[in-house]
Amino acid sequence: MQTIDSLFVPDLQPALKHPTVFKKFDSLLQGEAFLLVNDHNPIPLFYQLKAERGDVFEWVELEGGPEVWKIKITKTGDVADQGTPQPTAAKEVSNATVLNVTLLEPRQKHPTIFRHFDALAEGETVEILNDHDPKPLYYQLLGERGAIFSWTYLQSGPQWWRVQITKNEMESKETVGQIAASDLRKAEVFKKFGIDFCCGGKKTLKQVCAEKGLNLAAVEAELAAPSVVVNSSNAYQQWAPDFLADYIYNQHHLYYYNTLPVLSGLMTKVSQHHGGNYPELELLDRLFTKLVEELDAHFAKEEKVVFPFIKALVQAKRTGSFEALQTQPSLTEPIRLMEEDHESAGELLETMQQLTNGYTVPEGACNSFQFLYKKLKELDEDLHQHVHLENNLLFPKALQLEKELRTAKSL
């Protein structure tokens, strides 16, 4: 009878048992075998060997307890053909660290996993290989590290569980509109860098800087310690939605209605008298006409639909009377349409700015020409402030109020 080597596992330290068995198996040539001797049923080893080496061995139980288990393990194939990983407590596979938790002592498991997770950079992954569902680890990780990771089961039993844990990227999801709404000084910083925080306010700072070719770190540095002095006592963030809606109407809608006749007359006069020397005036006139058409329709919808609805919401909250709202559709769709209008107006304004080089008056231009560009710049600035107040303050406040009311009263 052929003599084979024996490996007496009880003599080994717990952390060295499985690695030693794997090392012994990997040293075999195809057709060779060794005898595994243990003081308990080594069936977990069978499943780990199968998972990490594949169907390249034969497992024959020669003695099955109760005090001694003897297993003959024969290599029947080439491990390399199986494309299986090598047995180490932690290894790199496809840029992800794979941590074989079964090789660790119980008291070392969670601390080791936490250590590997904490060492990850944002977006990096560690993979856990275990012989039972590591769900308790999920809750501990969530409790001690917070919701900064994603947890994905790659394999869910019955013998093996593989879980991919990825450290989430911590990029701020706060939009430039939200940043501007929180602090008027930061809105002034955005103006300095030419960042549109109203019509384009739904983008993150990182997105905006990438699009405009700005130095993200430089902008963040100024936002962290804005040196701008803002001469305004208006605490827009703290105003109730109905008061804010009235303010927007009185401050911005009425400004537009009062300014429009003057601007329209100037645009016609200047384009007719100077269009031959400044061909850009013809396009500017068309853009301005388009802008006026859109704003007229937009303001009418706000004054007849959106603002009254917002005031009704505030009144319902104050009085506790919700009957008038029970037949009302959601405010979500009207606000979505208002924001689309804002986007369109913002694009027209941006084109007008580019066409006029930021409303820079040509050298030698007459007084009417200078006054036209001055009034256009004022309108541009007023509209951006107007849109900022709606997109970043009024509309979020109103939608949140409607959600609270409908949830509380099941409207």
Side-chain angles (χ1 to χ4, degrees):
M1 185 176 184
Q2 183 181 5
T3 301
I4 61 173
D5 291 340
S6 296
L7 180 61
F8 191 70
V9 179
D11 286 346
L12 303 174
Q13 295 180 11
L16 297 177
K17 290 183 178 182
H18 283 205
T20 302
V21 174
F22 271 80
K23 183 177 180 180
K24 181 67 175 179
F25 177 80
D26 290 339
S27 69
L28 298 178
L29 298 176
Q30 187 172 337
E32 291 183 339
F34 71 97
L35 184 65
L36 175 70
V37 182
N38 202 19
D39 55 4
H40 61 269
N41 191 346
I43 196 65
L45 174 67
F46 168 83
Y47 291 118
Q48 183 179 353
L49 194 61
K50 186 176 181 65
E52 297 197 12
R53 292 297 179 270
D55 295 319
V56 295
F57 67 95
E58 182 182 71
W59 179 281
V60 179
E61 186 178 281
L62 302 180
E63 187 173 342
E67 295 182 356
V68 176
W69 276 258
K70 295 182 179 180
I71 309 296
K72 181 182 178 182
I73 302 176
T74 305
K75 181 181 284 189
T76 59
D78 188 352
V79 175
D81 293 339
Q82 301 294 317
T84 52
Q86 295 301 309
T88 56
K91 54 186 178 299
E92 294 290 332
V93 178
S94 301
N95 298 323
T97 297
V98 179
L99 186 61
N100 187 346
V101 183
T102 64
L103 302 181
L104 303 173
E105 294 183 47
R107 61 185 178 83
Q108 295 178 335
K109 291 183 178 183
H110 283 204
T112 301
I113 294 169
F114 270 75
R115 188 171 65 252
H116 277 80
F117 177 80
D118 290 339
L120 296 177
E122 293 176 12
E124 289 186 342
T125 294
V126 61
E127 184 179 316
I128 305 300
L129 175 66
N130 202 17
D131 52 11
H132 60 271
D133 189 349
K135 200 65 175 180
L137 171 70
Y138 169 83
Y139 292 113
Q140 183 180 352
L141 195 60
L142 184 63
E144 296 189 17
R145 295 296 183 272
I148 63 170
F149 65 94
S150 60
W151 176 281
T152 304
Y153 282 97
L154 303 178
Q155 185 176 343
S156 300
Q159 288 83 30
W160 292 98
W161 278 259
R162 292 172 55 221
V163 178
Q164 187 178 76
I165 305 174
T166 303
K167 182 176 285 187
N168 296 337
E169 294 186 10
M170 303 304 290
E171 173 192 345
S172 173
K173 301 303 180 184
E174 190 177 29
T175 66
V176 291
Q178 292 168 333
I179 295 172
S182 67
D183 189 336
L184 286 176
R185 297 175 303 162
K186 294 180 179 180
E188 294 301 317
V189 171
F190 286 151
K191 289 180 183 179
K192 173 184 174 181
F193 285 97
I195 293 175
D196 181 3
F197 54 86
C198 30
C199 302
K202 290 189 177 296
K203 299 176 181 178
T204 65
L205 181 60
K206 184 176 181 180
Q207 288 175 315
V208 171
C209 288
E211 291 175 2
K212 297 182 70 68
L214 297 172
N215 185 317
L216 176 61
V219 178
E220 288 178 330
E222 292 219 21
L223 289 172
S227 58
V228 182
V229 177
V230 179
N231 296 317
S232 175
S233 59
N234 295 331
Y236 304 115
Q237 184 72 41
Q238 293 157 18
W239 289 356
D242 57 343
F243 186 86
L244 186 53
D246 282 339
Y247 174 85
I248 290 171
Y249 171 78
N250 287 285
Q251 183 71 19
H252 298 289
H253 285 212
L254 292 184
Y255 165 81
Y256 170 76
Y257 295 143
N258 293 331
T259 301
L260 183 58
V262 177
L263 254 176
S264 296
L266 282 169
M267 182 63 72
T268 299
K269 178 181 178 179
V270 173
S271 60
Q272 287 179 350
H273 283 78
H274 300 284
N277 295 325
Y278 301 97
E280 67 271 15
L281 288 174
E282 181 181 353
L283 177 55
L284 183 64
D285 191 4
R286 293 203 303 271
L287 291 169
F288 177 73
T289 300
K290 177 66 172 174
L291 179 65
V292 169
E293 291 174 354
E294 293 191 4
L295 291 179
D296 285 347
H298 177 78
F299 286 1
K301 287 182 284 187
E302 286 188 338
E303 293 164 17
K304 293 178 180 178
V305 179
V306 179
F307 290 177
F309 195 168
I310 291 174
K311 291 181 181 181
L313 288 171
V314 176
Q315 184 67 11
K317 182 177 181 180
R318 288 173 179 164
T319 64
S321 176
F322 304 94
E323 288 77 9
L325 300 179
Q326 290 177 343
T327 58
Q328 288 278 11
S330 173
L331 189 58
T332 302
E333 182 62 15
I335 284 182
R336 184 186 68 80
L337 294 175
M338 294 301 96
E339 291 179 337
E340 287 183 356
D341 288 350
H342 291 165
E343 287 286 340
S344 179
E347 291 172 1
L348 288 170
L349 289 171
E350 184 177 1
T351 305
M352 291 169 64
Q353 283 189 28
Q354 293 172 351
L355 185 65
T356 61
N357 190 26
Y359 304 109
T360 302
V361 182
E363 187 175 348
C366 70
N367 290 336
S368 295
F369 207 138
Q370 295 180 41
F371 193 43
L372 170 66
Y373 274 28
K374 178 177 182 293
K375 297 302 288 183
L376 283 174
K377 184 175 182 180
E378 288 178 359
L379 177 65
D380 185 303
E381 293 174 348
D382 185 83
L383 285 173
H384 275 87
Q385 177 67 3
H386 173 182
V387 172
H388 164 59
L389 291 177
E390 291 185 346
N391 278 9
N392 303 323
L393 290 167
L394 178 62
F395 293 165
K397 282 175 177 282
L399 290 173
Q400 180 61 31
L401 176 58
E402 181 186 28
K403 180 180 178 182
E404 291 173 0
L405 292 177
R406 292 190 184 277
T407 299
K409 299 301 178 181
S410 299
L411 294 181

